[in-house]
Amino acid sequence: IAVLSPIRTDGQLTTLYRPTGPHFVGDVDLHFSADRLLFSSIGEHNKWHVFEMNTDGSGLRQVTPSLPDVHNYDACYLPDERIIYDSTACFQGVPCVGGNNQVANLHIMDPDGGGIRRLCFDQDHDWCPSVTNDGRVIFTRWEYSDTPHYFTRVVMTMNPDGTDQRSYYGSNSYWPNSIFGARPIPSHATKFVGIVNGHHGS
């Protein structure tokens, strides 16, 4: 994780965090106060975990609990300080590959990693949660059910407690196949930005 300052083409990059091993670090989510952030990397039991640290590089901690068979990643802060994140604790497998790939559904937890509750009960993955301008959660769902094509990634919204889940964009659309990392545009009621990608190779 690096810091660019000042924010311009000739700004200087400094390293904020570098893991001790050759591990991926990503899914960075900045807190609303900009004093801390969440990210995903490898933690205990050699599994994916959600980590938090201060924006000055101090206070590093693993937020998600250590379970030997569960991966946790792709987290975002909620306005009430709770955290929504992806977890494979649902113990499901992707159908089109014979269940060999683990499915992750969205869960919620308290800031200390307690109070965990599953929010989505989907056959396949949920990805990239983020908070919309009206306080809802926007995310991408891989949807197999009731669609003529198995590569549908529908942009969804829901309340932070998991209620009122509904399609926001892409339902029954053959293109784009996938939209990842959907983020609301500030001060706009409906627009969002995201990364358009194909079915495979994402």
Side-chain angles (χ1 to χ4, degrees):
I1 300 175
V3 176
L4 174 66
S5 181
I7 304 174
R8 59 187 194 217
T9 56
D10 61 348
Q12 297 297 309
L13 277 175
T14 58
T15 299
L16 182 66
Y17 173 76
R18 183 186 181 100
T20 56
H23 304 310
F24 170 85
V25 175
D27 306 327
V28 177
D29 186 73
L30 188 65
H31 189 269
F32 301 100
S33 65
D35 63 350
R36 58 193 185 276
L37 56 88
L38 299 169
F39 65 91
S40 304
S41 193
I42 300 296
E44 294 180 3
H45 299 295
N46 201 35
K47 300 297 183 185
W48 291 102
H49 283 283
V50 175
F51 293 85
E52 184 181 56
M53 71 177 181
N54 298 322
T55 50
D56 63 2
S58 66
L60 176 67
R61 69 186 183 99
Q62 180 181 303
V63 183
T64 44
S66 293
L67 299 171
D69 299 319
V70 175
H71 294 281
N72 303 293
Y73 55 92
D74 205 5
C76 78
Y77 291 105
L78 292 173
D80 66 1
E81 300 298 332
R82 290 184 297 170
I83 296 168
I84 285 184
Y85 67 103
D86 256 324
S87 178
T88 62
C90 53
F91 289 103
Q92 296 165 213
V94 178
C96 64
V97 291
N100 291 328
N101 292 346
Q102 291 177 291
V103 167
N105 277 183
L106 292 178
H107 291 61
I108 193 169
M109 64 180 168
D110 295 332
D112 63 0
I116 293 173
R117 186 168 64 86
R118 186 175 173 184
L119 298 180
C120 296
F121 295 80
D122 301 315
Q123 175 177 270
D124 290 285
H125 298 285
D126 303 309
W127 288 292
C128 310
S130 183
V131 178
T132 62
N133 298 320
D134 62 358
R136 291 172 59 80
V137 175
I138 189 171
F139 64 99
T140 297
R141 172 183 291 170
W142 185 1
E143 186 61 78
Y144 266 66
S145 303
D146 297 323
T147 64
H149 47 298
Y150 65 91
F151 45 75
T152 309
R153 269 79 163 186
V154 182
V155 178
M156 303 284 293
T157 62
M158 67 179 177
N159 293 325
D161 63 359
T163 59
D164 196 26
Q165 295 186 24
R166 61 177 70 180
S167 172
Y168 192 69
Y169 181 83
S171 180
N172 294 319
S173 173
Y174 278 92
W175 192 92
N177 296 155
S178 308
I179 298 177
F180 291 101
R183 297 291 184 268
I185 294 177
S187 304
H188 197 282
T190 59
K191 289 183 179 179
F192 68 90
V193 296
I195 300 169
V196 173
N197 205 345
H199 168 49
H200 289 108
S202 57

